[in-house]
Coordinates of all heavy atoms in Angstrom, one line a residue:
M29 N 0.8 -1.2 0.0 CA 0.0 0.0 0.0 C 0.9 1.2 0.0 O 1.9 1.3 0.6 CB -0.9 0.0 1.3 CG -1.9 -1.1 1.3 SD -2.9 -1.0 2.8 CE -3.6 0.6 2.6
E30 N 0.4 2.3 -0.7 CA 1.2 3.5 -0.7 C 0.7 4.4 0.4 O -0.5 4.5 0.7 CB 0.9 4.2 -2.0 CG 1.6 3.5 -3.2 CD 1.4 4.3 -4.5 OE1 0.8 5.4 -4.4 OE2 1.9 3.9 -5.5
Q31 N 1.6 5.0 1.1 CA 1.2 5.8 2.3 C 0.8 7.2 1.8 O 1.4 7.8 0.9 CB 2.4 6.0 3.2 CG 2.1 6.7 4.5 CD 3.3 6.7 5.4 OE1 4.4 6.6 5.0 NE2 3.1 6.8 6.7
D32 N -0.3 7.7 2.4 CA -0.8 9.0 2.0 C 0.2 10.1 2.4 O 0.7 10.0 3.5 CB -2.2 9.2 2.6 CG -2.8 10.6 2.1 OD1 -3.0 10.7 0.9 OD2 -2.9 11.4 3.0
A33 N 0.5 11.1 1.6 CA 1.4 12.1 1.9 C 1.0 12.9 3.1 O 1.8 13.5 3.8 CB 1.6 13.0 0.7
A34 N -0.3 12.9 3.4 CA -0.8 13.7 4.5 C -0.8 12.9 5.8 O -1.3 13.4 6.8 CB -2.1 14.3 4.2
S35 N -0.5 11.7 5.8 CA -0.6 10.8 7.0 C 0.4 11.2 8.0 O 1.4 11.8 7.7 CB -0.4 9.3 6.6 OG 0.9 9.2 6.1
P36 N 0.2 10.9 9.3 CA 1.1 11.3 10.4 C 2.5 10.8 10.2 O 3.5 11.4 10.7 CB 0.4 10.8 11.7 CG -1.0 10.6 11.3 CD -1.0 10.3 9.9
G37 N 2.7 9.6 9.6 CA 4.1 9.0 9.5 C 4.9 9.7 8.4 O 6.1 9.4 8.3
A38 N 4.4 10.5 7.6 CA 5.1 11.1 6.5 C 5.9 12.4 7.0 O 5.4 13.1 7.8 CB 4.2 11.4 5.4
V39 N 7.1 12.6 6.4 CA 7.8 13.9 6.7 C 7.7 14.8 5.6 O 8.1 14.4 4.4 CB 9.3 13.5 7.0 CG1 10.1 14.8 7.2 CG2 9.5 12.6 8.1
P40 N 7.2 16.0 5.8 CA 7.1 16.9 4.7 C 8.4 17.2 4.0 O 9.4 17.3 4.7 CB 6.5 18.2 5.3 CG 5.9 17.7 6.6 CD 6.7 16.5 7.0
E41 N 8.4 17.3 2.7 CA 9.6 17.5 2.0 C 10.3 18.8 2.4 O 11.5 18.9 2.5 CB 9.3 17.6 0.5 CG 10.5 17.6 -0.4 CD 10.2 17.4 -1.9 OE1 9.1 16.8 -2.1 OE2 10.9 18.0 -2.7
T42 N 9.5 19.9 2.7 CA 10.1 21.1 3.1 C 10.8 21.0 4.5 O 11.8 21.6 4.7 CB 9.1 22.2 3.1 OG1 8.0 21.8 4.0 CG2 8.5 22.5 1.7
G43 N 10.2 20.2 5.4 CA 10.8 20.0 6.7 C 12.2 19.3 6.6 O 13.1 19.7 7.4
A44 N 12.4 18.3 5.7 CA 13.7 17.7 5.6 C 14.7 18.6 5.1 O 15.9 18.6 5.6 CB 13.5 16.5 4.6
E45 N 14.3 19.5 4.2 CA 15.3 20.5 3.7 C 15.7 21.4 4.8 O 16.9 21.8 5.0 CB 14.6 21.3 2.6 CG 14.4 20.5 1.3 CD 13.7 21.3 0.2 OE1 13.3 22.4 0.6 OE2 13.6 20.8 -0.9
E46 N 14.7 21.8 5.7 CA 15.0 22.7 6.8 C 16.0 22.0 7.8 O 17.0 22.7 8.3 CB 13.8 23.1 7.6 CG 12.9 24.0 6.8 CD 11.6 24.4 7.5 OE1 11.4 23.8 8.6 OE2 10.8 25.1 7.0
V47 N 15.9 20.7 8.1 CA 16.8 20.0 8.9 C 18.2 20.0 8.4 O 19.2 20.2 9.1 CB 16.3 18.5 9.1 CG1 17.4 17.7 9.8 CG2 15.0 18.5 9.9
V48 N 18.3 19.8 7.1 CA 19.6 19.8 6.4 C 20.3 21.1 6.5 O 21.5 21.3 6.8 CB 19.5 19.3 4.9 CG1 20.8 19.5 4.2 CG2 19.1 17.9 4.9
V49 N 19.5 22.2 6.3 CA 20.0 23.5 6.3 C 20.5 23.9 7.7 O 21.6 24.5 7.9 CB 18.9 24.5 5.9 CG1 19.4 26.0 6.2 CG2 18.6 24.4 4.4
V50 N 19.7 23.5 8.8 CA 20.1 23.7 10.2 C 21.4 23.0 10.5 O 22.3 23.6 11.1 CB 19.0 23.3 11.1 CG1 19.5 23.3 12.6 CG2 17.8 24.2 11.0
R51 N 21.5 21.8 10.1 CA 22.8 21.0 10.4 C 23.9 21.6 9.6 O 25.1 21.7 10.2 CB 22.6 19.6 9.9 CG 21.6 18.8 10.8 CD 21.5 17.4 10.3 NE 20.6 16.6 11.1 CZ 20.2 15.3 10.9 NH1 20.6 14.8 9.7 NH2 19.4 14.7 11.7
H52 N 23.7 22.1 8.4 CA 24.8 22.7 7.7 C 25.3 24.0 8.4 O 26.5 24.3 8.4 CB 24.3 23.0 6.2 CG 25.3 23.7 5.4 ND1 26.5 23.1 4.9 CD2 25.4 25.0 5.0 CE1 27.2 24.0 4.2 NE2 26.6 25.2 4.2
R53 N 24.3 24.8 8.9 CA 24.6 26.0 9.6 C 25.4 25.7 10.8 O 26.4 26.4 11.1 CB 23.4 26.8 9.9 CG 22.7 27.4 8.7 CD 21.4 28.1 9.1 NE 20.8 28.8 8.0 CZ 19.6 29.3 8.0 NH1 18.9 29.3 9.2 NH2 19.1 29.9 6.9
R54 N 25.0 24.7 11.6 CA 25.8 24.3 12.8 C 27.2 23.9 12.5 O 28.1 24.3 13.2 CB 25.0 23.2 13.5 CG 23.7 23.6 14.2 CD 23.1 22.4 14.8 NE 21.8 22.9 15.5 CZ 21.0 22.0 16.1 NH1 21.3 20.7 16.1 NH2 19.9 22.4 16.7
M55 N 27.4 23.1 11.4 CA 28.7 22.7 11.0 C 29.6 23.9 10.6 O 30.7 24.0 11.0 CB 28.6 21.7 9.9 CG 30.0 21.1 9.4 SD 30.9 20.3 10.7 CE 29.8 18.8 10.9
T56 N 28.9 24.8 9.9 CA 29.7 26.0 9.5 C 30.1 26.8 10.7 O 31.2 27.4 10.7 CB 28.8 26.8 8.5 OG1 28.4 26.0 7.4 CG2 29.5 28.1 8.0
D57 N 29.2 26.9 11.6 CA 29.5 27.7 12.9 C 30.7 27.1 13.6 O 31.6 27.7 14.1 CB 28.3 27.8 13.8 CG 27.2 28.7 13.2 OD1 27.5 29.5 12.3 OD2 26.0 28.5 13.6
W58 N 30.6 25.7 13.7 CA 31.7 25.0 14.4 C 33.1 25.3 13.7 O 34.1 25.5 14.3 CB 31.5 23.5 14.4 CG 30.6 23.0 15.5 CD1 29.3 22.6 15.5 CD2 31.0 23.0 16.9 NE1 28.9 22.3 16.7 CE2 29.9 22.5 17.6 CE3 32.2 23.3 17.6 CZ2 29.9 22.3 19.0 CZ3 32.2 23.1 19.0 CH2 31.1 22.6 19.7
L59 N 33.1 25.2 12.4 CA 34.3 25.4 11.6 C 34.8 26.9 11.8 O 36.0 27.1 11.9 CB 34.1 25.2 10.1 CG 33.8 23.7 9.7 CD1 33.5 23.6 8.2 CD2 35.1 22.9 10.1
R60 N 33.8 27.8 11.8 CA 34.2 29.2 12.1 C 34.8 29.4 13.4 O 35.8 30.1 13.6 CB 33.0 30.1 11.9 CG 32.5 30.3 10.5 CD 31.2 31.1 10.4 NE 30.8 31.3 9.0 CZ 29.6 31.8 8.7 NH1 28.8 32.3 9.6 NH2 29.3 31.9 7.4
W61 N 34.2 28.8 14.5 CA 34.7 28.9 15.8 C 36.1 28.3 15.9 O 37.0 28.8 16.6 CB 33.8 28.2 16.8 CG 32.4 28.9 16.9 CD1 32.1 30.2 16.6 CD2 31.2 28.3 17.4 NE1 30.8 30.4 16.8 CE2 30.2 29.3 17.3 CE3 30.9 27.0 17.8 CZ2 28.9 29.1 17.7 CZ3 29.5 26.8 18.2 CH2 28.6 27.8 18.1
I62 N 36.3 27.1 15.3 CA 37.6 26.5 15.3 C 38.7 27.4 14.6 O 39.8 27.6 15.1 CB 37.6 25.1 14.7 CG1 36.7 24.1 15.5 CG2 39.0 24.5 14.5 CD1 36.5 22.8 14.9
A63 N 38.3 27.9 13.5 CA 39.2 28.8 12.7 C 39.5 30.0 13.5 O 40.7 30.5 13.6 CB 38.6 29.1 11.4
A64 N 38.5 30.6 14.2 CA 38.7 31.8 15.0 C 39.7 31.5 16.2 O 40.5 32.2 16.5 CB 37.4 32.3 15.5
G65 N 39.5 30.3 16.8 CA 40.3 29.9 17.9 C 41.8 29.7 17.4 O 42.7 30.1 18.1
L66 N 42.0 29.1 16.3 CA 43.3 28.9 15.8 C 44.0 30.2 15.5 O 45.2 30.4 15.8 CB 43.3 28.0 14.5 CG 43.0 26.5 14.8 CD1 42.9 25.8 13.4 CD2 44.0 25.8 15.6

């Protein structure tokens, strides 16, 4: 059976993109802090 896109178990496509962007920003911040420390 195909899961309905609106069902509770589905992750909206825009939400996944936001998670990736947040993680990317955190990694960038860490690199900036390390570079600043060096």
Side-chain angles (χ1 to χ4, degrees):
M29 294 178 62
E30 293 184 0
Q31 188 176 22
D32 184 65
S35 66
V39 178
E41 188 173 329
T42 56
E45 291 177 353
E46 290 177 356
V47 170
V48 172
V49 170
V50 170
R51 289 178 178 175
H52 178 71
R53 288 177 178 174
R54 289 179 178 176
M55 181 62 68
T56 302
D57 290 340
W58 275 107
L59 292 175
R60 288 176 179 173
W61 294 337
I62 293 174
L66 290 175

